[in-house]
Amino acid sequence: MFAVEIKELGAIQRTNSGYFQQTPFWSEFKAAHGWTFRAFRISWKKDESGADADLCGEEDVCVLTRAFLHGKLTIAYVPLFPSLPAKDIAANEQNIEFSNLLNDIALSLKPFLPKNTLCIRFDPAVGFDTPDERDYFVRGIKVIAFADRLRLKKSRVDIQPPDSTRIFLEPTEEELLSAMKSKWRYNINLSARKGVTVTRTTGAEEALDAELDVFYDLYKITAERDGIAIHSRDYYRDLLVKSAEERTAGKDVPVVSLYIARHEADALGAIITLNSKTESIYLYGCSSNVKRNLMPNFLLQWTAMKDAKAYGSHWYDMYGMPPTDDENHPMHGLYLFKTGFGGKNIHRIGSIDVPLSALYRLYDCAERARAFWHKKILKKIRGR
């Protein structure tokens, strides 16, 4: 359905806008932590006659690959690409076009990837206002993939959080506060009134290592309490330092910051954010088990939002939460916390795989087993 052309780029034009996962900055950072990064110019045009025959597009795209089993197998990953083919047509009227575009891009990209690549995993930039709309669209992809014998498969493991809430930062600070739930405004004021302070550190400051030690200690507490996995300390340090060093060198890259909330001698919570010209992302967060009544996490988020607004980001993305206000969901408290800041919820379709090898089925089974172990079994063990 689509004629696709792929051109590998020796270098991709540096950008500090759009989705942060598609910035060279982020791709290069991931390349320093186990991935391989390559850039391509991908163009497409619908190759059928008809009213929409001129449906076309072009985009520079960052593609990540990762080898495992001592380099014997590889998976390719394309974050936040592609978007819907047409901007002026309702999403659920584009299932056929989108499914074929995804399939055709993957097959055109295949010759540029290692021969042992099991699949290309896309996290498309396609979002909906409600989970029901999203789920309807995904069901449509599955039906079309079966009917048209496309190689698309909805992955059971999503790389990027499909559900989030975003606070648009164009209003004044007073208007942003007014859009929050009243209890959230109260908690922000309470935290400040009770003497909680928030400090911000970047990778260029002498205090980085000391502050990072505090952050990592809090993160280990959070991981033990909530049964989550975390990266090594160096992973977070490298992210902060890379941002600072490149900005010092005059490069226009996202600003990565570490915020820590304290009361007297106690560190109560910390977050790491990434600010680009388009979006600010709440990437990582952790908290202690003491003085939770001082509501430090509310003041942390509000401080980061104000800094993101001052930087010029269009919105602040809370980056991951349950899809609905389901009281039975184990992360229901997280949903309440993040949505209380007055943002607009977004529900993306999650990861879509295009298998390239018969071994993909074994990989899929192994990945599901691993996800079950970490999210169900190990989380319960740690939670105890």
Side-chain angles (χ1 to χ4, degrees), residues 5-205:
E5 292 186 5
I6 309 285
K7 177 184 178 182
E8 185 161 11
L9 304 175
I12 192 169
Q13 182 179 356
R14 290 196 168 272
T15 176
N16 188 13
S17 59
Y19 297 110
F20 82 93
Q21 300 96 331
Q22 274 296 334
T23 61
F25 168 83
W26 185 258
S27 296
E28 290 167 358
F29 168 69
K30 297 301 288 185
H33 290 271
W35 294 83
T36 300
F37 159 49
R38 294 165 71 184
F40 300 91
R41 179 160 295 154
I42 302 178
S43 58
W44 60 92
K45 180 178 176 62
K46 195 168 183 182
D47 57 3
E48 296 179 353
S49 61
D52 56 356
D54 61 348
L55 199 61
C56 59
E58 182 178 271
E59 194 167 336
D60 290 352
V61 181
C62 298
V63 177
L64 297 167
T65 58
R66 185 161 196 164
F68 53 98
L69 289 181
H70 305 290
K72 295 179 180 178
L73 298 174
T74 300
I75 183 172
Y77 176 55
V78 188
L80 276 295
F81 173 84
S83 56
L84 291 170
K87 308 301 180 186
D88 55 351
I89 301 176
N92 281 312
E93 295 178 15
Q94 299 186 62
N95 290 90
I96 295 175
E97 288 78 8
F98 178 77
S99 299
N100 279 274
L101 176 61
L102 204 61
N103 188 78
D104 293 342
I105 288 175
L107 296 183
S108 298
L109 191 58
K110 178 181 177 180
F112 294 87
L113 301 175
K115 292 183 179 180
N116 63 357
T117 301
L118 293 175
C119 72
I120 304 175
R121 176 163 294 173
F122 293 88
D123 260 313
V126 179
F128 296 85
D129 292 335
T130 69
D132 288 342
E133 291 175 304
R134 182 262 309 282
D135 295 343
Y136 180 82
F137 185 84
V138 171
R139 285 196 297 271
I141 292 176
K142 293 178 180 179
V143 170
I144 293 161
F146 177 78
D148 293 354
R149 297 183 179 181
L150 304 179
R151 299 189 185 185
L152 307 183
K153 185 182 185 302
K154 179 67 182 76
S155 173
R156 297 176 184 268
V157 178
D158 292 315
I159 304 299
Q160 303 299 325
D163 304 285
S164 186
T165 187
R166 302 188 298 185
I167 298 94
F168 287 89
L169 298 174
E170 293 183 6
T172 65
E173 289 185 9
E174 291 73 18
E175 290 170 333
L176 289 173
L177 285 167
S178 296
M180 297 180 191
K181 292 181 179 180
S182 59
K183 185 66 173 179
W184 271 238
R185 293 194 299 272
Y186 175 83
N187 287 342
I188 289 169
N189 291 327
L190 179 145
S191 189
R193 192 170 65 250
K194 293 294 185 179
V196 175
T197 59
V198 177
T199 56
R200 176 189 174 204
T201 305
T202 67
E205 299 175 41

Side-chain angles (χ1 to χ4, degrees), residues 137-319:
F137 185 84
V138 171
R139 285 196 297 271
I141 292 176
K142 293 178 180 179
V143 170
I144 293 161
F146 177 78
D148 293 354
R149 297 183 179 181
L150 304 179
R151 299 189 185 185
L152 307 183
K153 185 182 185 302
K154 179 67 182 76
S155 173
R156 297 176 184 268
V157 178
D158 292 315
I159 304 299
Q160 303 299 325
D163 304 285
S164 186
T165 187
R166 302 188 298 185
I167 298 94
F168 287 89
L169 298 174
E170 293 183 6
T172 65
E173 289 185 9
E174 291 73 18
E175 290 170 333
L176 289 173
L177 285 167
S178 296
M180 297 180 191
K181 292 181 179 180
S182 59
K183 185 66 173 179
W184 271 238
R185 293 194 299 272
Y186 175 83
N187 287 342
I188 289 169
N189 291 327
L190 179 145
S191 189
R193 192 170 65 250
K194 293 294 185 179
V196 175
T197 59
V198 177
T199 56
R200 176 189 174 204
T201 305
T202 67
E205 299 175 41
E206 291 184 3
L208 173 64
D209 283 312
E211 293 292 85
L212 197 62
D213 285 342
V214 174
F215 164 81
Y216 205 65
D217 286 343
L218 288 173
Y219 219 168
K220 287 187 289 186
I221 292 172
T222 302
E224 182 69 24
R225 182 181 66 229
D226 298 340
I228 60 174
I230 62 177
H231 295 287
S232 69
R233 179 186 181 278
D234 286 344
Y235 182 91
Y236 307 103
R237 188 182 192 281
D238 289 350
L239 179 60
L240 286 152
V241 170
K242 178 176 174 61
S243 169
E245 287 182 346
E246 295 202 12
R247 291 184 64 82
T248 299
K251 297 178 181 178
D252 186 16
V253 300
V255 177
V256 181
S257 305
L258 167 61
Y259 294 86
I260 298 179
R262 290 180 170 88
H263 182 261
E264 297 173 345
D266 298 312
L268 306 183
I271 61 175
I272 291 178
T273 66
L274 179 151
N275 294 354
S276 77
K277 292 177 179 176
T278 301
E279 59 185 0
S280 178
I281 308 293
Y282 163 36
L283 282 177
Y284 311 107
C286 49
S287 60
S288 74
N289 294 324
V290 302
K291 299 184 179 179
R292 300 171 73 88
N293 61 308
L294 298 183
M295 306 299 171
N297 295 325
F298 292 85
L299 187 61
L300 270 172
Q301 294 294 341
W302 176 233
T303 302
M305 285 179 206
K306 290 190 292 182
D307 286 351
K309 177 177 173 60
Y311 177 77
S313 298
H314 295 307
W315 65 72
Y316 186 88
D317 194 328
M318 284 291 188
Y319 203 51

